[in-house]
Every structure is written in structure tokens, then in C-alpha cells.
Amino acid sequence: NGDTKNDVFRGTVYGSLVVYRLEIFNRFGEMVFSTTDPKKGWDGVFKGVALPAGSFVWQCSYQFAGQLKRFLKGNVVLVR
């Protein structure tokens, strides 16, 4: 809603990353967001259009320096 509180979905990173990729998918499996920059996040927009409220799937692969590569996934609910 533009109040700077929870307006962007992104990972919280503490440490030195070697690999990072965050992807978000809609209920049809279409990728609506992707980034390799941990400072960038998803604001609920796809192709310049604000998406309607709903549930989305996210997945993130990352690797910190000196550690093994990891993979996480989950759901995020977009509320308008």
C-alpha cells in the first residue's frame, strides 16, 4: 500500500554471499519475479501491472562463502 511497511518481499541476508537467486511464481507456475541481487525484492508487480491479492510460491537458492549451497521454498500471501 506504499506505507514502506512490508511493501517488498525479499530475503534477509547476513554474511558474504557467493550465490543467490530468488524466484516467485503464481498459482499457474508462471514466474512473476526473479533476481540474483539480495537487495532487490518483489513488490507485487508483474510486467508493470499490480497483481491481485493471492498466494504465491517462492524459492531461493543461496550459498555463503565457505558453506554448501542451500535451497528454501515457501509461500507468500499478497494482500492489497
Side-chain angles (χ1 to χ4, degrees):
N1 63 3
D3 67 357
T4 69
K5 295 178 183 174
N6 296 320
D7 286 339
V8 177
F9 177 78
R10 67 174 153 251
T12 303
V13 178
Y14 301 104
S16 178
L17 282 172
V18 177
V19 175
Y20 179 85
R21 180 171 201 84
L22 173 64
E23 299 171 326
I24 300 177
F25 302 87
N26 64 17
R27 64 186 177 140
F28 304 108
E30 181 179 20
M31 186 184 303
V32 297
F33 178 78
S34 177
T35 185
T36 57
D37 183 351
K39 295 178 184 173
K40 292 187 179 177
W42 182 54
D43 60 1
V45 173
F46 178 54
K47 294 184 179 178
V49 177
L51 294 175
S55 183
F56 296 81
V57 174
W58 62 268
Q59 63 183 28
C60 183
S61 57
Y62 64 96
Q63 180 180 6
F64 289 103
Q67 295 184 8
L68 296 175
K69 190 172 184 180
R70 297 187 180 243
F71 178 80
L72 295 172
K73 61 183 176 178
N75 296 305
V76 59
V77 177
L78 178 62
V79 179
R80 296 265 178 216

